[in-house]
Amino acid sequence: MTKRLDYNQVAPNGVKALGGVYGYIMQSGVPAELVDLVYLRVSQINNCAYCLDMHTRDLIKRGVKIEKLALVQAWAEAGHLFSKRERAALAWAETVTRVSETGIPDQAFQAARAVFEEKELVDLTIAIGLMNAYNRLAIGFRNTPQAVLES
């Protein structure tokens, strides 16, 4: 896979604006590990190798065990391995990322709202939207995952 272009060089102000949103999310009060789990799940849905590599590395640095990381894609079947908040965040990430298929039904909103305060849910949704944007940049312009560069 060959990188198509370096969007950081082509549109640095646009990338900087996305970085501002990332900064907001990281100070929002939503736990960083939860945000990274959501970023990983969104990247799995979108098949973004660059982001999968990056967020897996981030979660490992945060001390998340590989056994848990291996089951993020199957979180609903992983029982108590994922907390109630993690399961709610991952379910919300899936329905929001697949909005064209799901329409984000009332039932999904009510389930997320039962676990998260309003601001947390808005912040999670911003994080999900941000990761979808980053995935589209990385996939569209063929960013190379660090794992490939190291091999």
Side-chain angles (χ1 to χ4, degrees), residues 74-108:
W75 63 267
E77 289 80 37
H80 68 280
L81 188 60
F82 293 91
S83 71
K84 183 178 180 179
R85 285 174 60 85
E86 288 170 337
R87 290 191 307 271
L90 293 167
W92 186 246
E94 289 181 2
T95 196
V96 171
T97 297
R98 294 181 170 133
V99 65
S100 68
E101 300 165 27
T102 69
I104 310 176
D106 289 342
Q107 180 181 3

Side-chain angles (χ1 to χ4, degrees), residues 12 14 20 32 54 58-59 64 96 110 118:
M54 179 172 48
D58 290 345
L59 285 159
V64 177
V96 171
Q110 294 302 333
E118 287 181 353

Side-chain angles (χ1 to χ4, degrees), residues 41-61:
R41 185 64 190 119
V42 169
S43 298
Q44 287 174 336
I45 293 166
N46 291 324
N47 294 315
C48 182
Y50 177 83
C51 297
L52 286 167
D53 180 61
M54 179 172 48
H55 299 300
T56 299
R57 290 170 187 271
D58 290 345
L59 285 159
I60 290 169
K61 286 177 192 169

